[in-house]
Amino acid sequence: IIEVATWAELNTFGIYDATNPSKMAQVFGGGATSGSQSIMSILADGSVIINFVDTGLDFAGNAFGFYIESTLAPQPWIGGVWYSDTALNVDGADHMTAYRGKGIDTIQILPFAAGLWSTDEYVLAFEDLHTMHWGNQNGVNDGYPEWSDVEPDFTDMVVMVESVTPEPTSLLLLGLGAAVLLKYRKR
Protein backbone atom coordinates (compact mmCIF):
# COMPACT_ATOMS: atom_id res chain seq x y z
CA ILE A 1 0.00 0.00 0.00
CA ILE A 2 2.68 2.45 1.11
CA GLU A 3 6.28 2.59 2.16
CA VAL A 4 7.43 5.66 4.06
CA ALA A 5 10.99 4.81 5.02
CA THR A 6 14.35 6.49 4.62
CA TRP A 7 15.70 3.48 2.74
CA ALA A 8 12.43 2.32 1.17
CA GLU A 9 14.24 1.27 -2.00
CA LEU A 10 16.32 -1.23 -0.02
CA ASN A 11 13.74 -2.83 2.30
CA THR A 12 12.33 -6.21 1.32
CA PHE A 13 9.16 -7.99 2.42
CA GLY A 14 8.32 -11.65 2.40
CA ILE A 15 7.28 -14.79 4.22
CA TYR A 16 9.16 -17.30 6.35
CA ASP A 17 8.53 -20.89 7.37
CA ALA A 18 6.95 -20.86 10.84
CA THR A 19 8.94 -23.97 11.78
CA ASN A 20 12.25 -22.69 10.38
CA PRO A 21 12.49 -18.87 10.14
CA SER A 22 15.75 -19.10 8.19
CA LYS A 23 13.68 -20.28 5.20
CA MET A 24 12.56 -16.96 3.74
CA ALA A 25 10.91 -16.12 0.43
CA GLN A 26 10.91 -12.50 -0.77
CA VAL A 27 7.54 -11.28 -2.01
CA PHE A 28 8.37 -7.59 -2.64
CA GLY A 29 11.65 -5.76 -3.15
CA GLY A 30 12.22 -2.17 -2.14
CA GLY A 31 11.43 -0.93 -5.61
CA ALA A 32 7.79 -2.05 -5.35
CA THR A 33 5.36 0.85 -5.51
CA SER A 34 1.80 1.45 -4.37
CA GLY A 35 -0.47 -0.95 -6.22
CA SER A 36 2.22 -3.61 -6.78
CA GLN A 37 0.77 -7.09 -6.51
CA SER A 38 2.15 -10.53 -5.87
CA ILE A 39 0.55 -13.96 -5.58
CA MET A 40 2.00 -16.42 -3.10
CA SER A 41 1.02 -20.07 -2.67
CA ILE A 42 2.31 -23.02 -0.68
CA LEU A 43 1.69 -26.35 -2.40
CA ALA A 44 0.83 -29.63 -0.64
CA ASP A 45 4.51 -30.70 -0.83
CA GLY A 46 5.62 -27.42 0.84
CA SER A 47 6.85 -25.76 -2.36
CA VAL A 48 6.67 -21.98 -2.12
CA ILE A 49 5.34 -20.41 -5.31
CA ILE A 50 5.52 -16.65 -5.89
CA ASN A 51 3.91 -15.18 -8.99
CA PHE A 52 3.48 -18.68 -10.43
CA VAL A 53 7.23 -19.45 -10.14
CA ASP A 54 8.62 -22.09 -7.79
CA THR A 55 11.11 -20.34 -5.49
CA GLY A 56 13.00 -23.58 -4.85
CA LEU A 57 12.10 -23.31 -1.15
CA ASP A 58 10.05 -25.97 0.59
CA PHE A 59 8.29 -25.07 3.84
CA ALA A 60 7.41 -27.75 6.40
CA GLY A 61 3.72 -26.99 5.87
CA ASN A 62 1.44 -24.07 5.15
CA ALA A 63 2.16 -22.19 8.41
CA PHE A 64 4.18 -19.06 7.72
CA GLY A 65 4.88 -15.59 9.04
CA PHE A 66 5.78 -12.27 7.46
CA TYR A 67 9.05 -10.32 7.63
CA ILE A 68 10.59 -7.03 6.61
CA GLU A 69 14.34 -6.87 6.07
CA SER A 70 16.26 -3.63 6.36
CA THR A 71 19.79 -5.01 6.63
CA LEU A 72 20.85 -3.44 3.32
CA ALA A 73 20.29 0.05 4.71
CA PRO A 74 23.28 2.44 4.65
CA GLN A 75 23.66 1.77 8.41
CA PRO A 76 22.73 -1.94 8.51
CA TRP A 77 23.39 -2.24 12.24
CA ILE A 78 20.27 -0.13 13.00
CA GLY A 79 18.08 -2.28 10.80
CA GLY A 80 17.57 -6.01 10.76
CA VAL A 81 15.18 -8.76 9.83
CA TRP A 82 11.95 -8.11 11.68
CA TYR A 83 9.36 -10.85 11.98
CA SER A 84 5.61 -10.89 12.57
CA ASP A 85 6.42 -13.22 15.49
CA THR A 86 7.83 -10.89 18.16
CA ALA A 87 9.74 -13.75 19.81
CA LEU A 88 12.01 -13.94 16.73
CA ASN A 89 13.03 -10.26 16.82
CA VAL A 90 16.50 -9.67 18.33
CA ASP A 91 15.25 -6.61 20.22
CA GLY A 92 12.18 -8.45 21.58
CA ALA A 93 9.82 -5.78 20.23
CA ASP A 94 6.80 -5.88 17.94
CA HIS A 95 7.79 -4.72 14.47
CA MET A 96 4.43 -5.46 12.85
CA THR A 97 0.89 -4.49 13.60
CA ALA A 98 -2.15 -5.86 11.79
CA TYR A 99 -5.55 -4.46 10.95
CA ARG A 100 -8.43 -6.68 9.83
CA GLY A 101 -11.21 -5.59 7.50
CA LYS A 102 -14.71 -5.68 8.97
CA GLY A 103 -16.60 -6.18 5.72
CA ILE A 104 -18.32 -2.80 6.05
CA ASP A 105 -15.61 -0.35 5.00
CA THR A 106 -14.46 0.61 1.53
CA ILE A 107 -10.76 0.77 0.75
CA GLN A 108 -8.92 2.04 -2.30
CA ILE A 109 -5.33 1.34 -3.18
CA LEU A 110 -4.40 3.30 -6.27
CA PRO A 111 -4.41 2.63 -9.16
CA PHE A 112 -7.23 0.13 -8.45
CA ALA A 113 -10.90 0.94 -8.01
CA ALA A 114 -12.30 1.10 -4.49
CA GLY A 115 -13.74 -2.09 -3.03
CA LEU A 116 -15.05 -3.64 0.14
CA TRP A 117 -12.40 -4.29 2.81
CA SER A 118 -13.50 -7.84 3.59
CA THR A 119 -12.94 -9.86 6.75
CA ASP A 120 -10.32 -12.07 5.06
CA GLU A 121 -8.14 -9.04 4.18
CA TYR A 122 -5.50 -7.60 6.50
CA VAL A 123 -3.31 -4.53 6.43
CA LEU A 124 0.13 -5.33 7.85
CA ALA A 125 2.26 -2.38 8.92
CA PHE A 126 5.97 -2.81 9.70
CA GLU A 127 8.67 -0.84 11.51
CA ASP A 128 12.21 -1.29 10.14
CA LEU A 129 14.40 0.15 12.92
CA HIS A 130 15.88 -1.54 16.00
CA THR A 131 14.21 -0.31 19.22
CA MET A 132 17.45 1.35 20.35
CA HIS A 133 16.69 3.95 17.67
CA TRP A 134 13.04 4.53 18.62
CA GLY A 135 13.39 8.10 19.75
CA ASN A 136 15.77 9.76 22.13
CA GLN A 137 14.76 7.46 24.99
CA ASN A 138 17.80 7.88 27.24
CA GLY A 139 18.24 11.61 26.80
CA VAL A 140 21.28 10.87 24.65
CA ASN A 141 21.78 12.52 21.29
CA ASP A 142 22.31 9.48 19.07
CA GLY A 143 23.47 11.57 16.11
CA TYR A 144 20.65 10.46 13.80
CA PRO A 145 18.42 12.84 11.86
CA GLU A 146 15.16 13.91 13.45
CA TRP A 147 13.17 11.18 11.69
CA SER A 148 14.70 8.66 14.11
CA ASP A 149 13.24 10.59 17.03
CA VAL A 150 9.67 9.77 16.01
CA GLU A 151 9.98 6.00 15.63
CA PRO A 152 8.18 3.67 15.69
CA ASP A 153 5.80 4.89 12.99
CA PHE A 154 4.95 1.50 11.40
CA THR A 155 4.91 3.02 7.90
CA ASP A 156 8.15 1.46 6.67
CA MET A 157 6.31 -1.26 4.74
CA VAL A 158 2.51 -1.44 4.66
CA VAL A 159 0.90 -4.22 2.67
CA MET A 160 -2.54 -5.73 2.28
CA VAL A 161 -2.86 -9.50 2.32
CA GLU A 162 -5.91 -11.61 1.69
CA SER A 163 -6.96 -15.22 1.99
CA VAL A 164 -4.76 -15.89 5.03
CA THR A 165 -5.72 -17.29 8.42
CA PRO A 166 -3.75 -15.78 11.31
CA GLU A 167 -2.69 -17.90 14.24
CA PRO A 168 -4.79 -17.25 17.41
CA THR A 169 -2.11 -15.17 19.16
CA SER A 170 -1.99 -12.84 16.16
CA LEU A 171 -5.69 -12.10 16.52
CA LEU A 172 -4.88 -9.90 19.52
CA LEU A 173 -3.26 -7.40 17.14
CA LEU A 174 -6.30 -7.07 14.90
CA GLY A 175 -9.23 -4.70 14.93
CA LEU A 176 -7.44 -1.34 15.05
CA GLY A 177 -8.34 1.30 12.47
CA ALA A 178 -6.08 1.74 9.45
CA ALA A 179 -7.40 5.02 8.08
CA VAL A 180 -4.34 6.98 9.19
CA LEU A 181 -2.04 4.62 7.29
CA LEU A 182 -3.88 5.02 4.03
CA LYS A 183 -3.22 8.75 3.74
CA TYR A 184 0.54 8.32 3.38
CA ARG A 185 2.39 8.00 0.11
CA LYS A 186 5.77 6.50 -0.68
CA ARG A 187 8.50 9.09 -0.43
Side-chain angles (χ1 to χ4, degrees):
I1 299 174
I2 60 168
E3 190 177 4
V4 182
T6 300
W7 46 78
E9 297 298 317
L10 302 174
N11 285 347
T12 60
F13 168 82
I15 61 169
Y16 65 90
D17 185 335
T19 64
N20 182 355
S22 67
K23 287 187 176 181
M24 302 165 66
Q26 181 178 310
V27 175
F28 289 117
T33 59
S34 180
S36 296
Q37 292 185 325
S38 188
I39 298 174
M40 185 276 304
S41 303
I42 300 175
L43 303 182
D45 67 357
S47 298
V48 178
I49 309 297
I50 297 182
N51 294 325
F52 306 104
V53 177
D54 190 330
T55 63
L57 287 173
D58 292 331
F59 283 9
N62 63 355
F64 64 91
F66 298 99
Y67 75 87
I68 181 176
E69 182 173 4
S70 61
T71 57
L72 296 177
Q75 299 87 13
W77 48 272
I78 64 173
V81 177
W82 308 112
Y83 300 92
S84 53
D85 181 350
T86 304
L88 297 174
N89 294 331
V90 296
D91 63 0
D94 288 327
H95 282 264
M96 185 199 86
T97 189
Y99 307 90
R100 181 180 184 184
K102 294 182 179 182
I104 57 173
D105 298 312
T106 300
I107 190 169
Q108 182 173 16
I109 302 169
L110 294 174
F112 304 101
L116 187 65
W117 187 10
S118 68
T119 57
D120 74 337
E121 295 176 317
Y122 299 85
V123 171
L124 308 178
F126 283 86
E127 174 53 49
D128 68 354
L129 288 180
H130 192 289
T131 54
M132 68 185 283
H133 297 287
W134 288 7
N136 197 350
Q137 298 165 337
N138 299 328
V140 176
N141 180 352
D142 62 9
Y144 290 93
E146 289 183 26
W147 57 263
S148 70
D149 294 334
V150 298
E151 299 293 339
D153 57 13
F154 289 87
T155 61
D156 299 314
M157 179 73 73
V158 181
V159 299
M160 176 175 264
V161 298
E162 64 177 59
S163 304
V164 297
T165 304
E167 49 186 291
T169 56
S170 298
L171 290 173
L172 298 174
L173 298 173
L174 304 177
L176 302 173
V180 70
L181 295 175
L182 300 177
K183 71 178 185 177
Y184 292 101
R185 297 267 186 246
K186 185 175 180 178
R187 278 193 228 178

